[in-house]
Amino acid sequence: MSSYLDELNDAQRAAVEYIDGPALVIAGAGSGKTRVLTYKIMHLLNNGYKPWNILAITFTNKAAREMKERIAKQIGEQDAAQLWMGTFHSIFMKILRMEIDKTDYQKNFTIYDATDSKNVVKGIIKDMNLDDKIYDLRTVCSRISGAKNDLISPEQYESTEQYADDSNAKRYKMVDIYRAYMRKCQTSNAMDFDDLLLQTHLLFLKHPELIKKYSDKFRYILVDEYQDTNSVQYNIVKSLASLHHKLFVVGDDAQSIYAFRGARIENILNFQRDYKEAKIFKLEQNYRSTKVIVNAANNVIAKNARQLKKEVFSENETGDRIRVLESAADIDESYKIAADIYNRVADGDEKYSDFALLYRSHSQSRSLEESLHKRQIPYKIFGGLSFYERKEIKDLIAYMKLTQNGNDDEAFKRVVNYPKRGIGDTTMDKITALATANNLSIWNTVVRLQEFDPTISPRTINALAQFMKMVYQLKLFADSNDAYKATLQIANTSGVLKDLEADKSVEGQGRLENAQELLNGVKQFVETRQKDGNTATLAEYLEEVSLMTGDEKNEDDSNKVSLMTIHASKGLEFKNVFLCGVEEGLFPSQKSAESSVQLEEERRLFYVAVTRAQKRLVISFARMRFKYGQLAPAQPSRFIKEIDTKYLDFGAGGESQFEAARDIPYAGRFRKTFAENDRNIAARPVPKFGNFKKYVPGSGPNRAAQVSPSDLKEGTEIKHSRFGRGRIVAFEKMKDDTKLTIDFINVGRKVLMQKYAIADMQIVN
C-alpha cells in the first residue's frame, strides 16, 4: 500500500481515499486537516488526475506554499507548479487577468489594500461635504465591504437591512458613497480585495461560457476553512463544481469566528443540503493539546445549538488543570502574567517564544505591554504595524504601482510631491475635484489640465509634467528589466533613497534600513523565481506582495512572547497560552448579548482560544477593569463557568474564591498583590540569556545603575531594552556625542546616539 496513506489514522485515510463525489471533512482543532488536504492532492495525482485539473483553495498563501512544497517532494517541482493552488484572492485574480478583456478593467489593474480603500472613501466623504463623525470611516468601509461580500450592488443597497440601519444613524448618503467608491476604483483601474471576488462572480454571471470553461478545467476542487467562506466565495465554488460535482471541503463549524467579515457558518452547516450525495468524514483526534484542554473546550462548545456534532478527543498526556487566575484589576492581571513568564524562563524550562497572550480586544494589549516591558521580556504583537504598512515602504511601493498603472490615483497622490516638487495639497485637491467631475483618473486629468483649468500656473504644470515623464521613463525601464533592477532604479531616480539618506537621526536611519530591506526582499524574490525558471517582473512582485496575508506580513521567528487578538491566533499553536480578560461584557462582548447567534459566535471564539494551547492554559480575569478612563467592576465570564470544575485549578482560595470577591478591601488587596509579586520576582535568578553588568533583577534598565561611556568599546557585547542583544562594531565621534554602530542579533544593524542609548543598555560579561 502507498506509504503516504500509512501515515494517516483511519478517519484521515478514509477522507483521503474517497474521490467519487462531494465530501465534507469536519476537522476538529489540531486534528491534522492540512495533512489530509496535502495527502488528498497526492492521492488524486496518483489516481490519474493531472495537476492543472486540480483547484486547491487555502486561506493563506503561506499554507498553499507549504502544501505545494510537500507535494513537490513527491511528484517533482515541475508538476507541483502546475497545480492551481492559493487563496481565493490569488486564484480569482489569476482568472481575472486571463479574462480581463471581458471586464471593464485593463490587464495592469492594481490592488488597493485597506489603507488605500480608506483613503478613497475618506476623499469621497470630504468631496461630498459630509460629517465624518456621522459617516465614520471604519463603519462606511465595513458597510461597502459587507455589501460586496453579500453580492449587493449600490442599486440593491437601498432595500437592505443595512440601509435601514444607516438611515436610523442619519447616514442617508451611504448609497451615494458606495456608488462613488465603485466608480473611483474603476477610473483608477484598481480593485480592492473584495473586488477580486465580486468581479469574478460578475464575470461568470455575464459570461456563462466561462463557467463551463473553468468547471470543465477543474475536475476536482478542494477548499480549506470552508466555515469561513462568505456568500460570493460560496457562489463561485458552487458554480465551478457544477459540472463534475467533485468538491472536497474541510472545516470546523466550531471555529467559525469571522461573521464580522461576512463569513457564513450556514455554508458548512448546510453542505449536505446543497450536495445531497455528499459523504461526511469526521476528524476527531486532537494531536495538539492535552486531554484536560480538549475536554474543557468540548464542555464549552457543547452549549451551542447550531453545530455539526463531533466528539473531539486527545490521546496525549492528561496534563495540568487549567489555571483560573483572578486579579484585583487589569493592571494587576498584567503584572501577574509578566511575573509568571519571567519566573518560568528564569527556571530555564521555557523560552519566551513558548508563550502567547490572547485577548478579545486590541485595547487590552497596552497594560500587558507595559508589564512585559518592565520585566524586560521581549515580545511581538501580531496584527500591529506590519513592515509593508510603514510609510517609507508604502511610498516606494506606490512608485512601483504607478509605473505599472498610471491611473492608480492613490499611488499618484501619495508620491506626486514626495520628495518635494512644489506640488501642494491645494493644487492636488483642485485636480482631484476635476478628475471626479470628469470621471477620469488623475493622470488623464493632468494630461488635459490646461483644457480643464487654464488658471493653473505654468510652474505647476511643468512640475507635474516632469513627474509624469519620470514615471513613464521608469515604466519603460521596468518593462525591460527584472523586479530588483526596476525597484533599485525607482528608488534612486525618484529621489526616495536620497531623501531617506539625508535624515541622520536614529529614526531616519531606521527608515533607510527598512527601504534597504525592501530591496533585499525584491532581490530574493527575483533569485527564487529565476532559480525555478520563471520570470520575475515588477508586476509579478507587486502581485505577490499585494496578496500577502497577515500571518506573512508579521512573520517573526525570534525568541519573543506573542501578543495577539484571539481572531489573529486562529491556525496557530503555543506551548503556553494566557487567555486574558475573560469577563462578562468583554468576553463575551457586550454586543453579543443582543442575540443568541452572536453569543454562539463568541463561544466559538472562546473554543478557538482554548485550543491554541498545547500544554498549559491560564484563563485570567480581573475584578476591576478600566473602561472609558474609569475603574469599573467586572465579573468572570460565563464561559469559565461552562467548564467542568474538575478541569480547573482555582488556586489557593479554591472555587469559592472564584465565585465571590475577597473580603479584603479593593485598595488593600491591590497593594498587597503588588508587594508579593515584587518580592517573588526579586528572588528569582536572572533568565539565562547572559549575565549583565550592573543589573538589578526586577527593574527596568532605566532604573539600573548607569553604564559608563568608558565601558563601551568596539567589540563590547551589550543588551538593549528594545533591540535585544548585540555587539558594538564602530564608534564615530561627533561634536556633542558619539555615534554607535551596533549589530543586533534580532533586528540587524542599528546606529544609535550614545547619550540616549546608554540608559537602555546593559553590558554582557
Side-chain angles (χ1 to χ4, degrees):
M1 189 61 67
S2 301
S3 59
Y4 65 91
L5 292 175
D6 294 336
E7 297 176 24
L8 303 171
N9 66 32
D10 291 344
Q12 292 171 336
R13 181 165 181 161
V16 166
E17 289 185 313
Y18 180 72
I19 59 175
D20 296 330
L24 166 63
V25 178
I26 305 168
S31 61
K33 69 178 179 63
T34 303
R35 168 175 283 203
V36 167
L37 280 165
T38 306
Y39 284 28
K40 181 77 173 186
I41 294 170
M42 288 163 53
H43 192 66
L44 291 169
L45 294 169
N46 286 339
N47 280 270
Y49 282 87
K50 302 300 181 186
W52 51 88
N53 293 140
I54 297 173
L55 171 63
I57 301 175
T58 63
F59 260 74
T60 67
N61 290 302
K62 182 181 178 183
R65 197 162 51 243
E66 289 173 353
M67 286 171 60
K68 191 174 284 189
E69 287 171 358
R70 291 177 67 178
I71 293 167
K73 291 178 182 178
Q74 299 292 325
I75 66 172
E77 291 186 6
Q78 191 171 3
D79 283 342
Q82 297 184 75
L83 288 165
W84 278 64
M85 182 182 290
T87 63
F88 276 103
H89 296 96
S90 64
I91 295 294
F92 293 168
M93 184 174 69
K94 188 175 180 180
I95 291 174
L96 284 169
R97 292 209 190 274
M98 291 172 66
E99 309 294 345
I100 200 68
D101 59 311
K102 299 178 182 66
T103 74
D104 296 327
Y105 288 82
Q106 300 166 35
K107 189 170 185 177
N108 64 335
F109 68 82
T110 48
I111 299 170
Y112 279 169
D113 62 17
T115 302
D116 295 327
S117 295
K118 285 178 181 176
N119 287 338
V120 174
V121 173
K122 187 176 181 179
I124 292 169
I125 292 171
K126 180 182 176 182
D127 291 343
M128 294 174 69
N129 295 314
L130 300 174
D131 187 336
D132 58 9
K133 292 184 177 62
I134 294 175
Y135 292 90
D136 172 67
L137 188 58
R138 183 175 178 181
T139 300
V140 173
C141 290
S142 177
R143 287 290 202 227
I144 293 172
S145 176
K148 288 183 181 183
N149 287 329
D150 287 337
L151 303 173
I152 298 168
S153 67
E155 292 70 31
Q156 297 167 321
Y157 191 81
E158 287 187 6
S159 61
T160 65
E161 183 181 333
Q162 289 89 342
Y163 181 72
D165 289 342
D166 287 330
S167 297
N168 290 335
K170 298 183 179 179
R171 288 191 293 268
Y172 303 116
K173 294 287 186 180
M174 189 61 226
V175 173
D176 296 328
I177 296 173
Y178 184 10
R179 188 178 287 112
Y181 176 78
M182 295 286 279
R183 186 167 58 244
K184 195 71 174 173
C185 288
Q186 179 74 59
T187 57
S188 296
N189 192 33
M191 296 187 197
D192 62 23
F193 266 41
D194 298 319
D195 284 325
L196 294 174
L197 308 179
L198 178 61
Q199 293 300 328
T200 303
H201 172 77
L202 294 175
L203 179 70
F204 287 159
L205 198 64
K206 294 174 183 176
H207 299 278
E209 73 278 7
L210 291 180
I211 295 178
K212 185 178 185 307
K213 171 183 174 181
Y214 286 101
S215 61
D216 182 48
K217 175 180 178 59
F218 300 131
R219 296 175 178 270
Y220 211 102
I221 301 170
L222 305 94
V223 183
D224 191 14
E225 304 285 11
Y226 192 68
Q227 78 281 351
D228 292 332
T229 53
N230 58 33
S231 294
V232 64
Q233 292 164 337
Y234 165 84
N235 277 281
I236 295 174
V237 167
K238 195 170 184 181
S239 295
L240 292 175
S242 60
L243 185 60
H244 297 292
H245 299 277
K246 299 292 180 69
L247 177 62
F248 183 82
V249 304
V250 181
D252 182 7
D253 58 294
Q255 298 186 68
S256 178
I257 60 173
Y258 295 122
F260 69 97
R261 292 183 188 169
R264 299 179 72 253
I265 191 174
E266 292 80 9
N267 293 348
I268 192 167
L269 294 179
N270 298 333
F271 187 82
Q272 283 183 287
R273 185 197 65 186
D274 294 333
Y275 304 94
K276 292 182 172 53
E277 72 276 34
K279 287 201 68 172
I280 308 298
F281 300 91
K282 296 181 181 181
L283 307 183
E284 297 172 304
Q285 183 172 354
N286 179 301
Y287 290 94
R288 174 189 301 150
S289 308
T290 64
K291 291 177 181 176
V292 163
I293 290 170
V294 170
N295 292 340
N298 288 343
N299 284 168
V300 177
I301 202 63
K303 302 294 189 296
N304 273 7
R306 295 199 310 164
Q307 62 175 293
L308 299 169
K309 292 293 183 183
K310 60 182 177 299
E311 294 294 331
V312 179
F313 66 95
S314 172
E315 292 185 354
N316 296 334
E317 62 184 323
T318 300
D320 297 335
R321 287 186 296 166
I322 296 167
R323 184 181 172 200
V324 178
L325 178 64
E326 178 190 357
S327 299
D330 48 359
I331 191 170
D332 180 33
E333 173 190 50
S334 302
Y335 200 100
K336 287 180 178 179
I337 289 170
D340 193 356
I341 295 172
Y342 183 96
N343 292 341
R344 287 180 176 274
V345 174
D347 287 340
D349 298 329
E350 311 276 6
K351 305 188 300 292
Y352 289 127
S353 55
D354 290 332
F355 295 87
L357 311 187
L358 309 184
Y359 36 80
R360 179 65 181 84
S361 169
H362 280 292
S363 62
Q364 293 172 253
S365 72
R366 182 194 58 80
S367 61
L368 292 167
E369 287 187 69
E370 288 178 1
S371 292
L372 292 172
H373 183 70
K374 286 174 182 175
R375 296 293 165 231
Q376 300 182 37
I377 297 172
Y379 63 88
K380 56 186 175 183
I381 298 180
F382 285 69
L385 185 67
S386 81
F387 177 79
Y388 293 95
E389 290 169 333
R390 298 179 188 277
K391 179 187 180 299
E392 58 275 15
I393 303 304
K394 288 189 74 69
D395 289 340
L396 271 171
I397 288 180
Y399 268 110
M400 294 154 73
K401 284 183 174 182
L402 203 55
T403 65
Q404 300 303 296
N405 174 20
N407 291 319
D408 188 331
D409 282 359
E410 290 309 304
F412 193 109
K413 287 189 291 185
R414 186 176 187 94
V415 298
V416 66
N417 198 40
Y418 176 69
K420 297 217 178 276
R421 298 184 176 89
I423 304 169
D425 291 343
T426 303
T427 298
M428 285 311 302
D429 287 346
K430 188 180 290 188
I431 294 171
T432 301
L434 287 169
T436 301
N438 291 281
N439 199 26
L440 292 172
S441 68
I442 291 176
W443 183 285
N444 289 329
T445 300
V446 173
V447 170
R448 300 170 58 186
L449 193 53
Q450 286 181 303
E451 172 191 339
F452 289 137
D453 188 347
T455 67
I456 300 284
S457 71
R459 185 193 63 78
T460 299
I461 289 176
N462 181 62
L464 287 164
Q466 291 301 314
F467 170 71
M468 292 169 68
K469 180 181 178 182
M470 177 191 69
V471 171
Y472 182 70
Q473 290 173 338
L474 288 170
K475 171 181 169 49
L476 294 178
F477 185 89
D479 287 347
S480 55
N481 287 275
D482 65 42
Y484 175 69
K485 292 176 182 175
T487 305
L488 187 60
Q489 184 78 356
I490 288 167
N492 284 311
T493 303
S494 66
V496 170
L497 277 185
K498 184 178 179 181
D499 184 72
L500 292 173
E501 287 167 351
D503 185 351
K504 300 301 183 183
S505 68
V506 174
E507 294 79 10
Q509 292 303 298
R511 287 189 284 271
L512 177 60
E513 289 167 8
N514 288 336
Q516 291 168 337
E517 183 58 33
L518 176 69
L519 287 166
N520 292 340
V522 180
K523 190 167 189 179
Q524 289 172 1
F525 166 81
V526 170
E527 290 172 350
T528 301
R529 296 272 299 181
Q530 291 176 344
K531 178 184 174 184
D532 295 337
N534 298 312
T535 57
T537 66
L538 184 59
E540 289 166 335
Y541 174 77
L542 287 171
E543 189 170 294
E544 178 165 296
V545 169
S546 68
L547 291 172
M548 278 188 176
T549 44
D551 61 326
E552 295 165 292
K553 290 184 176 182
N554 289 288
E555 282 182 355
D556 184 350
D557 296 327
S558 54
N559 183 26
K560 299 177 182 177
V561 176
S562 296
L563 276 69
M564 67 191 79
T565 64
I566 302 165
H567 283 99
S569 75
K570 189 165 177 291
L572 303 177
E573 58 185 45
F574 301 92
K575 187 176 179 182
N576 304 285
V577 169
F578 288 86
L579 184 49
C580 312
V582 186
E583 299 145 22
E584 286 294 306
L586 182 56
F587 195 19
S589 67
Q590 191 69 45
K591 188 178 179 182
S592 68
E594 296 174 8
S595 75
S596 60
V597 171
Q598 291 180 355
L599 182 59
E600 288 202 351
E601 172 130 344
E602 288 287 292
R603 190 174 279 113
R604 293 194 294 271
L605 189 60
F606 186 82
Y607 178 85
V608 167
V610 170
T611 54
R612 297 313 92 198
Q614 297 171 305
K615 299 287 188 183
R616 180 172 174 262
L617 175 64
V618 178
I619 299 176
S620 175
F621 73 94
R623 291 289 182 181
M624 303 285 285
R625 186 169 294 275
F626 270 98
K627 294 181 181 177
Y628 310 110
Q630 303 235 343
L631 269 174
Q635 292 296 323
S637 169
R638 70 191 73 188
F639 297 151
I640 304 177
K641 299 173 184 178
E642 290 175 355
I643 300 174
D644 192 317
T645 55
K646 68 183 178 183
Y647 301 127
L648 301 176
D649 175 7
F650 294 99
E655 188 178 354
S656 60
Q657 180 175 295
F658 164 74
E659 293 298 339
R662 297 176 191 167
D663 295 330
I664 305 172
Y666 164 71
R669 184 170 73 217
F670 201 48
R671 286 193 294 270
K672 181 181 177 184
T673 304
F674 266 82
E676 288 174 352
N677 283 341
D678 272 330
R679 285 195 296 272
N680 290 338
I681 287 181
R684 307 299 295 184
V686 177
K688 298 178 175 64
F689 40 56
N691 298 312
F692 302 128
K693 186 173 183 178
K694 301 175 182 176
Y695 177 72
V696 181
S699 67
N702 291 326
R703 290 179 289 175
Q706 184 72 40
V707 174
S708 169
S710 62
D711 294 331
L712 303 179
K713 300 177 178 60
E714 197 169 309
T716 299
E717 289 192 21
I718 59 95
K719 182 175 184 291
H720 190 277
S721 63
R722 180 180 173 192
F723 302 123
R725 188 165 176 166
R727 183 188 300 274
I728 299 174
V729 296
F731 285 82
E732 182 182 344
K733 292 287 184 182
M734 303 182 72
K735 184 177 179 181
D736 299 318
D737 200 1
T738 300
K739 189 185 292 184
L740 304 177
T741 302
I742 305 173
D743 279 344
F744 289 101
I745 295 172
N746 292 331
V747 297
R749 179 164 292 189
K750 297 283 182 186
V751 179
L752 307 178
M753 303 309 292
Q754 180 174 278
K755 68 180 178 182
Y756 299 115
I758 199 166
D760 292 320
M761 283 185 187
Q762 298 151 12
I763 297 176
V764 181
N765 288 335

